[in-house]
Amino acid sequence: MGMPDYGDFLDIARAHPDVHLDTTMAFTDFTEALTPFPTDRLDDLAELGDRVLFGSDFPNIPYRYEHAVQVITDLGLGDDWTRAVLHDNAARLLGE
């Protein structure tokens, strides 16, 4: 997601269709306390949903894996967006 420069990375992804972003550590309580995602860019995140991939860096994270999944669903960007980020985008990108 390019933290802490979320907006710049969203702009790069918008300008370059082959660029994908991953969610490793983004949106979690741990990261939001230090470098929060700008809520005014949620529409951009939703628009680029076909190029956002779930990332976890598990087990090297300072929170539970389940939390990383839950914060994605809690963004409220819809079931289709959430399913794409948590599974479909990676499956498509990897040709599965």
Side-chain angles (χ1 to χ4, degrees), residues 20-21 23 46 48-54 72 77-93:
H20 290 70
L21 303 171
T23 66
L48 293 168
D50 64 329
R51 290 188 279 135
V52 177
L53 308 169
F54 177 73
I72 298 301
L77 297 178
D79 290 344
D80 291 340
W81 186 92
T82 300
R83 186 177 304 103
V85 169
L86 293 176
H87 175 269
D88 297 349
N89 294 342
R92 184 187 70 251
L93 186 64

Side-chain angles (χ1 to χ4, degrees), residues 12-92:
I12 290 168
R14 174 178 283 123
H16 302 280
D18 291 332
V19 170
H20 290 70
L21 303 171
D22 83 78
T23 66
T24 302
M25 294 189 72
F27 315 111
T28 63
D29 294 345
F30 177 83
T31 300
E32 287 292 301
L34 302 170
T35 56
F37 183 84
T39 56
D40 63 331
R41 298 299 301 260
L42 279 173
D43 288 344
D44 298 312
L45 183 63
E47 179 184 322
L48 293 168
D50 64 329
R51 290 188 279 135
V52 177
L53 308 169
F54 177 73
S56 72
D57 280 359
F58 180 81
N60 300 314
I61 50 177
Y63 46 81
R64 295 182 53 81
Y65 180 87
E66 294 84 356
H67 178 65
V69 174
Q70 187 64 50
V71 297
I72 298 301
T73 62
D74 288 348
L75 288 171
L77 297 178
D79 290 344
D80 291 340
W81 186 92
T82 300
R83 186 177 304 103
V85 169
L86 293 176
H87 175 269
D88 297 349
N89 294 342
R92 184 187 70 251

